[in-house]
Amino acid sequence: MRTCTSLFLACLLLCLSAPAITGDLPATEESVPVADESDARVATMLDPDTTSSMHDDTTILRNVSTLEDRTGVMFFDALRLWVGGAVQYDYFNFDGIYRHTEGGERDEGGNMRRLEGTLRSSLYEWGEIKVQYDFDSGTFRDFYVRWVSKDPETPWIVTIGNQKEPRSLDQLLGNKFTMAQERSAPAYAFGAERGMGVRLHKAFQVERADRPIDVFDDEAVFVTTSIGLFTEGIEESKDTDLALSGRVTAGRERDGVGIHTGLSLSYREGEFDRISLRPEVHNADRIVLANPQANTSGIVGLEGAYNHGPLHLQAEAYYTRYQGRLDGYGGGGYFQAGWFLTGESRDYNARWGVLAPHTSSGSWSTELFARISHTRGEDDLNGWNDYKSATLGANFYYRKLRVSLNLLYGDAREPINGEEDGMALNVRAQYLF
């Protein structure tokens, strides 16, 4: 693990110190005429306004210039303020290994998943501040200051405060925009972390002649690099005291076909006494797979995505090792596929190496998806257990409203609460404002 971490950090430093290669491509389609449709797509991907959703972390406020869409209020031509929020309400019905024991055992009911307020502010063009607070749980989520350099094409971005670590496509996109209502079980167990810290991010477009390995066979290849040092988050719900995490991605999109690959590594110190997961339904209790007694852990994550018109695929895999008084191991992965019946597509945000949120305009959008996942945990004393699940779902979008339905089947190798499998139905209504 130390050797892998050293090699990974060396790659990160090499990418962060390399010059941005964007000489022949414009920052926006309007600035310089483009030669063909491929160049036009490249220009769009270089445009920082790939997504303008104010709920999306990758939207940089200084690039949001239209007040007609109620994207904020400007004061003194210097300070832009945007106040918004999100409401998610869930109805759930499940049995077997899915349990909800808060306030007494329940297998059917409804409650608020998220009642969130968000304040974002930019001052001139130096950067921005974000405060995200969940009134239902009474906790801060994002609480950071972000500095963005003035380079219009490949800016340096430094984020300081409580934030997501640069790991996991599921986590970085967030459950307001993912296909499924909740992150996959392996992403929750090994890739879903927020922490107080500092993160450095930069993206490059790399010409074919300058690439040591030409996997994509395409001129428009984008590389993102992120590295950060983190401590325990504001929520104080994790076992991590200190973490060094980084992520490198590469992706391209041409003629409506996009490909993305990524690698993340994390070295962590803390008190790790369980390998647990939320079984892809927020109201269900966590499932504990193993109980190591460790003070360090290392996580390796691989990710990939593919989109072609209304079809979009996504997959991730994790491996984790825990070391201490009682060693342990964990890992797993998921694969999911989605299809827009109404013909839309999920864009690729090349500056951050993530899929851009889908937003519907004046008509309903309908998306069907399926996901399978597998998560395993093991310790050297008690053996191992795993959780496998399959999910079928549908999402209906209309402007800022989203209604979704998820149907899950899950089973475990060893019985959980005396049960080996179970079914779950979750219906969610979400509104962003």
Side-chain angles (χ1 to χ4, degrees):
M1 180 59 65
R2 291 180 179 176
T3 302
C4 292
T5 302
S6 299
L7 291 173
F8 179 67
L9 291 177
C11 292
L12 271 176
L13 291 174
L14 178 61
C15 292
L16 290 170
S17 60
I21 305 172
T22 57
D24 297 329
L25 295 170
T28 62
E29 291 183 70
E30 292 79 9
S31 58
V32 178
V34 290
D36 54 33
E37 183 179 349
S38 177
D39 286 343
R41 183 58 187 161
V42 172
T44 301
M45 295 174 71
L46 279 175
D47 187 347
D49 297 332
T50 301
T51 172
S52 59
S53 171
M54 301 300 288
H55 287 274
D56 180 17
D57 292 343
T58 66
T59 296
I60 300 175
L61 293 191
R62 78 177 189 193
N63 298 312
V64 180
S65 58
T66 58
L67 295 179
E68 294 78 20
D69 296 329
R70 290 182 287 181
T71 54
V73 179
M74 181 72 78
F75 295 96
F76 311 112
D77 294 325
L79 177 68
R80 180 188 300 280
L81 292 177
W82 179 85
V83 179
V87 177
Q88 292 177 336
Y89 187 84
D90 286 3
Y91 165 78
F92 61 90
N93 191 317
F94 42 65
D95 62 12
I97 61 176
Y98 300 101
R99 293 266 183 110
H100 182 94
T101 56
E102 182 180 348
E105 183 176 324
R106 291 191 296 154
D107 59 9
E108 187 270 341
N111 61 11
M112 196 69 69
R113 167 64 175 96
R114 183 188 296 262
L115 183 58
E116 178 183 283
T118 303
L119 169 67
R120 298 183 68 175
S121 171
S122 66
L123 182 61
Y124 293 102
E125 294 187 355
W126 68 265
E128 63 184 74
I129 298 171
K130 181 180 180 183
V131 179
Q132 180 182 348
Y133 184 78
D134 191 329
F135 292 93
D136 182 60
S137 62
T139 59
F140 286 96
R141 301 195 186 279
D142 291 339
F143 197 138
Y144 60 70
V145 176
R146 172 174 287 168
W147 173 81
V148 184
S149 71
K150 293 185 178 181
D151 185 342
E153 294 185 352
T154 58
W156 291 90
I157 300 174
V158 180
T159 308
I160 302 173
N162 201 67
Q163 59 188 292
K164 296 176 181 177
E165 294 185 21
R167 297 187 293 125
S168 171
L169 281 172
D170 254 5
Q171 169 74 346
L172 292 174
L173 189 57
N175 74 357
K176 289 182 284 189
F177 302 113
T178 51
M179 281 184 261
Q181 294 169 356
E182 299 294 337
R183 296 180 295 262
S184 68
Y188 185 93
F190 309 115
E193 295 276 358
R194 270 186 173 90
M196 291 291 295
V198 56
R199 172 188 175 189
L200 176 65
H201 176 90
K202 192 170 178 67
F204 309 92
Q205 183 201 342
V206 184
E207 302 284 2
R208 175 181 294 178
D210 297 299
R211 296 198 294 265
I213 302 176
D214 195 5
V215 177
F216 295 103
D217 190 28
D218 193 279
E219 292 292 346
V221 172
F222 298 87
V223 175
T224 75
T225 56
S226 291
I227 188 168
L229 184 65
F230 305 91
T231 62
E232 187 177 39
I234 293 179
E235 298 177 62
E236 297 183 347
S237 60
K238 303 296 182 181
D239 302 322
T240 300
D241 296 328
L242 184 67
L244 177 64
S245 299
R247 178 174 180 253
V248 175
T249 72
R252 64 91 163 162
E253 186 163 350
R254 183 179 63 180
D255 300 327
V257 179
I259 300 175
H260 164 87
T261 60
L263 166 70
S264 64
L265 289 179
S266 182
Y267 170 79
R268 319 183 72 82
E269 296 182 353
E271 187 174 342
F272 308 108
D273 57 4
R274 63 179 181 175
I275 301 174
S276 67
L277 56 91
R278 184 81 68 180
E280 302 174 353
V281 181
H282 180 73
N283 287 290
D285 294 341
R286 294 184 183 184
I287 293 175
V288 178
L289 299 179
N291 294 100
Q293 298 176 25
N295 50 33
T296 64
S297 71
I299 304 174
V300 179
L302 297 174
E303 60 189 57
Y306 173 86
N307 68 287
H308 187 179
L311 171 67
H312 37 283
L313 311 176
Q314 182 175 312
E316 295 187 67
Y318 298 91
Y319 174 76
T320 305
R321 182 177 181 182
Y322 301 87
Q323 291 184 300
R325 187 166 59 178
L326 180 63
D327 292 349
Y329 306 87
Y334 72 88
F335 173 80
Q336 62 186 20
W339 183 273
F340 276 104
L341 299 181
T342 44
E344 294 86 352
S345 61
R346 286 183 175 262
D347 289 331
Y348 181 56
N349 188 328
R351 285 187 177 273
W352 295 85
V354 295
L355 296 177
H358 172 69
T359 54
S360 175
S361 55
S363 60
W364 284 95
S365 299
T366 302
E367 178 185 39
L368 301 180
F369 79 91
R371 177 172 71 187
I372 55 174
S373 71
H374 178 220
T375 314
R376 170 171 168 159
E378 178 180 358
D379 64 66
D380 288 347
L381 179 63
N382 302 302
W384 63 277
N385 199 2
D386 69 356
Y387 167 78
K388 297 184 288 291
S389 74
T391 305
L392 295 176
N395 297 310
F396 306 94
Y397 304 87
Y398 182 75
R399 297 186 184 274
K400 299 180 180 181
L401 174 67
R402 170 181 172 180
V403 178
S404 56
L405 181 150
N406 284 191
L407 179 64
L408 298 89
Y409 170 77
D411 69 39
R413 175 177 177 267
E414 298 293 336
I416 298 171
N417 298 320
E419 303 284 349
E420 294 183 353
D421 61 4
M423 296 284 294
L425 170 68
N426 205 80
V427 181
R428 172 172 297 169
Q430 169 182 289
Y431 185 76
L432 307 180
F433 58 90

